[in-house]
Each structure stands twice: as structure tokens, then as C-alpha cells.
Amino acid sequence: MNKFQKLINKKNNSKIISLTAYSKNVASIIDNYCDIVLVGDSLGSVLYNYKSTRSVTLKMMIEHSKSVRLGFKKSLMVVDMPFNTYKNNKEALRNAKKIMSQTGCDAVKLEGGKKIAKTINFLIKNKIPVMGHIGLLPQSETGKFS
């Protein structure tokens, strides 16, 4: 049974736990306690002291994700696509393929809801697994979060 099927089987039966990692060391610790490891663009604020996630680059996400990949075995790995890396379908597909091929992740995560539904459908049709995002939308917001 693959990682996606295990996750689907848990739905409505038990909690699905997702934690964020930016490095191999953290990933190796949390792998035993979660179902999904997210490499989030929040690394901009957490590690680099950026005022927003908008300054995070594709290269940064790929490098941190490569490190995270070395730290776990069982969890599903999801990587945030940074701000402005999925402005149109062609760019989204090119960047998602790059993330997946260079990091070995299982899926990518995009922010935007209904505004990006066509892009998500395009990625899925092109065999790119996509995770949605609800709640706080740091790529879309400006200012401080309280």
C-alpha cells in the first residue's frame, strides 16, 4: 500500500498529523510522529528572518527539501511552492516537476483556493499530486500576523 492510500484509509478513522521540517535533523525526529512532513515556505520567517514568505525562492525550497528528504522514511513529503512560482499553468507545471524531481517529494502545496483551481486541475491532469491549503495565507497577505 502506498503512502497516499495509507493516508486516505486514515481519513475519518483517525487524526492525520502533519508537521513542518526544514532540515534532515528535524525530519528524522518528527517522522515517527506524523503522517505528512511539510517543507513550508515559512522557512523564510523562521530561519531567515524575512518579513514574509514572499522572499523565499524555488532554489531555497529545493535545497531545504533535499535535506528533509534525507531525514525520514515513512511520512508523506509535501513541499510548498513559493510565491510567484505558479502564476500560470506552464510555469506551475515546470516548477512543480522541478521540485518533485530534485527533492523526491510526494506532492506539492499551493496557496490560493478557488483562484488557482484551474492551475491545480492542470497539475493533477499532468500527474502532479497537489495538496490544498486552508487557513492563513501568508503569500497573499502583507503585514504582520498576530
Side-chain angles (χ1 to χ4, degrees):
M1 181 181 314
N2 70 34
K3 293 176 187 179
F4 288 108
Q5 193 57 51
K6 285 181 184 177
L7 205 56
I8 290 167
N9 289 347
K10 278 188 94 169
K11 186 178 175 187
N12 300 323
N13 293 317
S14 64
K15 294 182 181 191
I16 295 173
I17 299 167
S18 178
L19 296 171
T20 301
Y22 310 117
S23 69
K24 174 190 174 197
N25 296 342
V26 172
S28 66
I29 294 167
I30 67 174
D31 187 43
N32 292 320
Y33 304 101
C34 63
D35 303 295
I36 301 169
V37 172
L38 171 68
V39 183
D41 60 0
S42 55
L43 65 87
S45 307
V46 175
L47 297 179
Y48 294 95
N49 202 31
Y50 293 161
K51 292 182 189 230
S52 80
T53 62
R54 290 182 178 202
S55 299
V56 173
T57 66
L58 189 62
K59 182 179 179 184
M60 290 167 73
M61 291 304 300
I62 289 170
E63 291 306 312
H64 281 277
S65 299
K66 286 163 56 173
S67 175
V68 168
R69 170 50 70 201
L70 298 172
F72 69 91
K73 294 180 175 47
K74 75 168 192 70
S75 302
L76 189 84
M77 181 175 160
V78 179
V79 176
D80 260 339
M81 291 188 69
F83 181 69
N84 275 338
T85 61
Y86 49 96
K87 292 183 284 190
N88 60 60
N89 289 352
K90 184 178 176 181
E91 183 178 44
L93 182 60
R94 181 181 69 245
N95 288 327
K97 283 181 175 180
K98 186 173 185 175
I99 289 169
M100 293 193 74
S101 68
Q102 291 187 21
T103 69
C105 71
D106 299 295
V108 295
K109 183 172 82 64
L110 286 71
E111 176 185 308
K114 289 181 182 179
K115 293 187 295 185
I116 60 163
K118 288 181 182 177
T119 300
I120 291 169
N121 285 330
F122 181 78
L123 291 175
I124 291 168
K125 284 179 186 173
N126 283 277
K127 311 260 188 275
I128 303 291
V130 177
M131 179 180 202
H133 179 112
I134 60 172
L136 183 66
L137 304 173
Q139 291 181 9
S140 304
E141 305 292 330
T142 56
K144 291 189 175 190
F145 302 110
S146 349

